[in-house]
C-alpha cells in the first residue's frame, strides 16, 4: 500500500527519483553542457522530434552555427537547410528570430529569467522553464507532457495549473538539485512512466504512486 498523505508521497518521490536518475538516466550530450545557446537549440529540436533524431541533428547544427551570433547572422534559407529533415520548420524560423533578438536586445546573452525567456520567439512556458533550469540551474517549472503524466499519476492531480503548482512545490530550490530533479521527472516519463504500458514493476516511485495502487487493487 502506498503512503496515505501527500507529504509522505512527496518525501518518497523527492528521495527516490534523483537516486534513480543517477543510476539509470541516458547520457544525452545536451545534459553535459550548460551553454544556454546549445540548450535552447536542443529544446527547440526536442519540441516535436524524437531524441534519437535530435542526437544526430543537434551536434551537426551546432557545428554549423557554434554561437548565437553566427546563427543570427545566417541567411534564412541556410538555417532552413540546416534544419532539413527535422520537420516543423516553424521551429527553425523561430530559433533564427530568437537568435537575432538575443543578439540585438540582450547583447548576445540568453536570459536566465523564465518570464524574460517567454518573451522570445518560439518560447512557451515549458521551454522558458527548461532553459532557465537546464542552462542556468534555476529552480523553474518544466512541466511538459511526460512530466504532467508522471505527476498526475503519482499524486492523482490533473489540470495544467495544478500540475505546475505541484511541480513548483516539489522541486528543490538549490540549482544543481533542481536541475537533477527536473531531468529525473522527465526521464522517468520518457523511460518508465510511458503513456501506454507504464513499467510500474521497475519504477522507483511505485511505492508512492496512487495510480499504481489503484491499478493493483482493481
Ligand atoms: S508506478 Fe507506474 S504509473 Fe506510477 S509513476 Fe511509476 S510507472 Fe508511472
Amino acid at each position: 500500500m502506498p503512503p496515505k498523505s501527500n507529504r509522505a508521497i512527496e518525501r518518497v518521490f523527492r528521495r527516490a527519483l534523483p537516486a534513480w536518475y543517477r543510476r539509470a538516466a541516458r547520457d544525452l550530450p545536451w545534459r553535459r553542457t550548460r551553454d544556454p545557446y546549445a540548450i535552447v537549440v536542443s529544446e527547440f529540436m526536442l519540441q516535436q522530434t524524437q531524441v534519437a533524431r535530435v542526437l544526430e541533428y543537434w551536434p551537426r547544427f551546432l557545428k554549423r552555427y557554434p554561437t548565437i551570433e553566427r546563427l543570427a547572422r545566417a541567411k534564412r534559407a541556410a538555417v532552413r537547410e540546416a534544419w532539413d529533415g527535422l520537420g516543423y520548420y516553424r521551429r527553425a524560423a523561430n530559433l533564427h528570430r530568437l537568435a537575432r533578438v538575443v543578439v540585438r536586445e540582450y547583447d548576445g546573452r540568453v536570459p536566465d529569467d523564465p518570464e524574460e525567456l517567454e518573451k522570445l520567439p518560439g518560447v512557451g512556458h515549458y521551454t522558458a522553464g527548461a532553459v532557465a533550469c537546464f542552462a542556468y540551474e534555476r529552480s523553474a517549472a518544466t512541466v511538459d507532457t511526460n512530466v504532467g503524466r508522471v505527476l498526475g499519476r503519482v499524486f492523482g492531480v490533473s489540470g495544467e495549473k495544478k500540475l505546475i503548482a505541484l511541480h513548483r512545490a516539489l522541486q528543490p530550490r538549490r540549482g544543481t538539485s533542481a536541475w537533477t530533479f527536473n531531468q529525473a521527472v522527465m526521464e522517468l516519463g520518457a523511460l518508465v512512466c510511458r503513456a501506454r504500458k507504464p513499467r510500474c514493476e521497475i519504477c522507483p516511485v511505485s511505492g508512492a504512486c496512487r495510480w499504481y495502487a489503484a491499478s493493483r487493487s482493481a
Side-chain angles (χ1 to χ4, degrees):
M1 286 291 288
K4 291 248 187 297
S5 73
N6 256 2
R7 198 163 283 269
I9 298 176
E10 281 174 28
R11 270 200 302 275
V12 175
F13 195 75
R14 278 207 194 104
R15 206 174 38 232
L17 209 51
W20 169 81
Y21 178 80
R22 281 187 272 273
R23 208 170 56 241
R26 292 165 294 179
D27 178 23
L28 302 174
W30 45 88
R31 288 179 176 156
R32 288 185 232 131
T33 181
R34 297 293 185 274
D35 173 1
Y37 164 64
I39 302 282
V40 168
V41 174
S42 73
E43 288 298 334
F44 269 64
M45 287 186 172
L46 288 164
Q47 278 170 10
Q48 276 133 331
T49 304
Q50 297 287 325
V51 166
R53 207 159 178 73
V54 177
L55 281 171
E56 192 188 322
Y57 276 80
W58 184 72
R60 199 188 299 168
F61 191 90
L62 289 177
K63 194 168 177 198
R64 187 157 173 178
Y65 301 114
T67 65
I68 200 160
E69 287 80 9
R70 289 276 289 275
L71 179 60
R73 283 201 302 272
K75 295 253 188 301
R76 204 162 73 180
V79 177
R80 168 74 166 74
E81 187 198 306
W83 201 269
D84 217 9
L86 272 176
Y88 298 96
Y89 295 104
R90 180 189 286 265
R91 290 178 297 170
N94 278 333
L95 181 60
H96 193 202
R97 283 172 52 219
L98 178 150
R100 290 185 165 175
V101 172
V102 169
V103 168
R104 194 175 59 235
E105 295 175 20
Y106 296 86
D107 205 19
R109 185 181 185 275
V110 175
D112 63 354
D113 176 44
E115 282 185 22
E116 206 61 36
L117 280 158
E118 239 183 295
K119 294 177 189 167
L120 298 173
V123 176
H125 189 263
Y126 161 76
T127 304
V131 173
C133 182
F134 300 146
Y136 295 106
E137 299 191 346
R138 284 187 58 152
S139 177
T142 57
V143 181
D144 66 353
T145 311
N146 282 348
V147 172
R149 183 174 60 251
V150 171
L151 296 180
R153 283 174 173 169
V154 173
F155 291 88
V157 169
S158 61
E160 195 184 348
K161 280 190 181 158
K162 282 187 187 166
L163 287 167
I164 289 173
L166 173 61
H167 184 269
R168 280 191 196 286
L170 285 170
Q171 73 176 311
R173 294 285 158 258
R174 223 162 41 83
T176 46
S177 306
W179 186 98
T180 305
F181 178 84
N182 287 349
Q183 291 281 12
V185 189
M186 294 176 85
E187 193 73 338
L188 191 75
L191 300 183
V192 179
C193 191
R194 303 175 302 200
R196 295 177 60 205
K197 296 192 182 157
R199 303 165 72 196
C200 304
E201 68 289 351
I202 60 152
C203 179
V205 299
S206 60
C209 180
R210 293 206 159 117
W211 194 90
Y212 182 53
S215 69
R216 271 162 62 105
S217 58

